Amino acid sequence: MRIAVVGSGYVGLVAGACFADMGHEVILVDNDQQKLAALRSGQVPIHERFLPELLQRHRGKKLQFSDNLHEAARASTAIFVAVGTPPTNSGDADLSYVESVAREISGGIDGYKIVVEKSTVPVYTSEWVRKIILRNGAQADSFDVASNPEFLREGTAVTDFLFPDRIVVGADSDRCAAVLQEIYAPLSDGSYYKRADAIPGPDRAQIPPPVIVTSTKSAELIKHASNAFLAMKISFINAVASMCESVGANVQQVCQGIGTDSRIGPRFLNPGIGYGGSCFPKDLMAFRSVAREVGYDFRLLDEVMRINEEQRQRFLRKVRNALWTLRGKRLGVLGLAFKGGTDDIRESPAILLVQSLVQEGCVVAAYDPAAMERAREVLRSNVEFVGSPYEAAAGADALLILTEWEEFATLDLPQINRKLRYPIVIDGRNLYNPEMMAAHGFTYYSVGRAPALPEGLPTGDSRGNQKI
Ligand code: UGA
């Protein structure tokens, strides 16, 4: 199948590379000349496992790069729209990029084609895309608009794309659904997974993945509802973690106890410093906005967002409680990206926390395996970027763990202890066992678990709980 993918951002680039790996002829379209030149010359703009291999494999062969949307549309049977839908000031999704793509491709529709929404868009967007294409001269029976939401996560984008839990095909005609099903056939008939050169899958992969055929509007809603549900799950467990801290329970034990109920499931039940990234915060606001527009006041989403904000503030209070005053304190910080495994710092709770700490007079020595270059652009004064966790710990009054990189879960603890000015670790991702940290001589604070103190130190109160 000849496919155009419009937009070479996270989703577009990964989708383009994966479609090529599935055997399709892909043209990846972008109007950013610099980005195109970089991609053509072999650069990989994002930190994503297996993406360098796929680009290397298909660049200039099954994967071409172009700035000519009109021609790419003309040459393709399916046009996937994966451009940005950033939030406006009011929290709605800004659909102006989607609209301009719809306008530009109309002239390239010279035979039956499908236009597929891959970006996360509000329900009803497909109707607008159709209207815009018709207004610009395309024949009503020469195209269909479909929704094929993408559920990949940053950091595991390629495997998420090629080994999805499900493939959602939102189409309002059989003809349109058939084109999308043909595109995904290498996954849904299992043939991709039998290939010797297939990208290796994760342990949990369901092979082959099921295809769920829905109406276009349902597919649009599935994407927003999925992200909102996952964010709700995170806020829920963060709220439970706060209760655990108040009563002296252990959130990890609670998670095990509730996550083993197959109706709840253990994934996305990790408490932390709140969710971030380019998707959950933006999509929750957009979903709430769409709900309002169609007459439903989705207040549950307000609460999910409030708990998320509160979670970051609680962590700040935890740092204050551990160190008393903050002015002039030196803090080692591990992790700047919005989560482990990525260099993306958009809406990163780690960055927001560092900014708050600096504002309160701290000096921060920060380390992240992938996100330092990006972080340098937003963190300027009173932040030193260092080359390892041990350098971050050197001379610091405390060490803060803000993202769950694997590297941070396997630190040489005696070395960290020796480097720190005071052996205090405040872990926003629960990477360590509290008793083990105490045994290594640390005062250790985490989320939803009682603090652990090295033997001989007085506990904060009679139950040994944190007072927050
Ligand atoms: C999220 C969804 O998981 C994807 O399915 C979706 O395709 C994507 O948004 C999107 O809409 O494009 P992503 O933003 O890459 O993916 O990252 P997640 O792994 O979902 O993490 C989001 C945030 O939640 C991170 O800050 C992470 O640290 C936090 N999180 C996640 C927790 O605090 N606890 C958890 O248990 C899981």
Side-chain angles (χ1 to χ4, degrees):
M1 181 89 65
R2 294 176 77 89
I3 294 175
V5 178
V6 190
S8 65
Y10 232 104
V11 170
L13 183 58
V14 172
C18 291
F19 281 145
D21 208 45
M22 285 156 64
H24 302 301
E25 302 284 336
V26 181
I27 307 174
L28 191 56
V29 186
D30 206 295
N31 53 13
D32 182 335
Q33 297 297 342
Q34 255 181 323
K35 212 168 182 187
L36 289 178
L39 284 166
R40 284 196 192 104
S41 72
Q43 288 177 39
V44 186
I46 49 177
H47 177 90
E48 201 59 60
R49 199 159 174 231
F50 299 122
L51 189 58
E53 288 91 319
L54 288 189
L55 291 177
Q56 165 81 17
R57 215 181 260 182
H58 302 296
R59 183 186 309 115
K61 296 169 217 152
K62 282 188 176 305
L63 182 60
Q64 306 283 343
F65 302 102
S66 165
D67 62 351
N68 193 331
L69 179 51
H70 181 86
E71 265 179 25
R74 195 171 279 249
S76 308
T77 305
I79 303 142
F80 284 78
V81 183
V83 294
T85 53
T88 62
N89 287 340
S90 59
D92 298 334
D94 174 356
L95 297 172
S96 55
Y97 298 115
V98 176
E99 181 179 352
S100 78
V101 168
R103 214 180 306 124
E104 263 186 77
I105 55 182
S106 3
I109 297 184
D110 54 359
Y112 182 72
K113 296 183 191 297
I114 64 167
V115 179
V116 190
E117 297 166 354
K118 200 65 169 156
S119 317
T120 303
V121 290
V123 64
Y124 289 126
T125 303
S126 58
E127 287 188 354
W128 270 108
V129 170
R130 182 163 183 85
K131 262 187 233 170
I132 299 295
I133 296 177
L134 287 172
R135 252 183 220 167
N136 285 279
Q139 295 299 311
D141 57 359
S142 64
F143 75 100
D144 274 310
V145 180
S147 165
N148 168 226
E150 182 48 56
F151 303 101
L152 63 80
R153 289 160 301 165
E154 294 187 14
T156 48
V158 169
T159 42
D160 282 350
F161 190 99
L162 292 168
F163 297 83
D165 286 347
R166 77 297 204 189
I167 296 161
V168 174
V169 165
D172 296 326
S173 76
D174 292 344
R175 190 180 185 192
C176 176
V179 176
L180 267 171
Q181 278 171 302
E182 194 184 328
I183 291 172
Y184 282 100
L187 304 186
S188 60
D189 68 13
S191 56
Y192 176 79
Y193 310 110
K194 293 191 190 119
R195 273 175 29 195
D197 64 349
I199 292 294
D203 296 342
R204 256 192 299 260
Q206 192 182 340
I207 295 175
V211 175
I212 299 169
V213 181
T214 70
S215 69
T216 313
K217 278 184 198 143
S218 299
E220 289 171 326
L221 266 177
I222 286 169
K223 174 64 195 188
H224 262 158
S226 298
N227 273 4
F229 193 90
L230 291 169
M232 180 183 73
K233 218 174 162 188
I234 297 168
S235 277
F236 182 85
I237 203 61
N238 281 334
V240 171
S242 301
M243 282 197 65
C244 289
E245 287 174 3
S246 305
V247 302
N250 180 326
V251 75
Q252 234 164 339
Q253 295 173 358
V254 176
C255 280
Q256 198 187 0
I258 60 179
T260 39
D261 184 326
S262 60
R263 293 168 302 175
I264 297 173
R267 297 172 73 193
F268 273 69
L269 264 192
N270 298 316
I273 54 173
Y275 61 77
S278 64
C279 303
F280 286 174
K282 159 179 91 77
D283 289 352
L284 254 83
M285 284 201 294
F287 197 29
R288 182 185 57 176
S289 214
V290 180
R292 238 181 237 150
E293 243 170 69
V294 299
Y296 182 70
D297 187 10
F298 210 151
R299 269 182 283 178
L300 176 62
L301 300 182
D302 290 308
E303 195 52 22
V304 170
M305 290 186 249
R306 191 197 61 75
I307 295 171
N308 197 52
E309 173 67 28
E310 166 66 14
Q311 194 64 11
R312 219 173 49 244
Q313 299 306 329
R314 280 182 78 86
F315 189 79
L316 267 183
R317 290 203 290 279
K318 210 168 274 183
V319 179
R320 272 192 221 109
N321 270 17
L323 298 177
W324 191 21
T325 63
L326 290 181
R327 184 156 304 281
K329 294 274 160 71
R330 183 179 174 85
L331 301 175
V333 162
L334 302 187
L336 295 166
F338 79 97
K339 63 172 186 178
T342 174
D343 60 351
D344 195 341
I345 57 159
R346 286 176 289 174
E347 301 290 322
S348 164
I351 295 276
L352 295 171
L353 279 169
V354 170
Q355 284 169 334
S356 302
L357 290 164
V358 166
Q359 212 161 22
E360 297 208 28
C362 296
V363 173
V364 167
Y367 171 71
D368 187 291
M372 295 221 281
E373 209 176 301
R374 291 183 182 208
R376 252 183 245 274
E377 290 163 23
V378 294
L379 298 175
R380 292 211 173 89
S381 57
N382 289 326
V383 180
E384 290 165 27
F385 294 92
V386 297
S388 77
Y390 307 97
E391 282 176 49
D397 292 280
L399 186 68
L400 275 47
I401 302 178
L402 301 184
T403 51
E404 70 283 40
W405 281 95
E406 250 171 66
E407 182 181 345
F408 300 158
T410 53
L411 295 171
D412 174 348
L413 295 173
Q415 196 185 340
I416 290 284
N417 194 325
R418 279 197 304 276
K419 296 260 179 194
L420 281 166
R421 185 164 179 219
Y422 300 108
I424 301 172
V425 173
I426 311 169
D427 180 358
R429 301 289 187 165
N430 288 358
L431 298 189
Y432 288 95
N433 174 309
E435 287 80 44
M436 195 260 291
M437 290 302 274
H440 275 89
F442 290 100
T443 298
Y444 175 73
Y445 300 89
S446 55
V447 183
R449 303 180 299 180
L453 305 166
E455 263 176 42
L457 273 190
T459 54
D461 67 11
S462 57
R463 291 166 302 168
N465 294 333
Q466 278 158 290
K467 284 185 181 157
I468 293 174

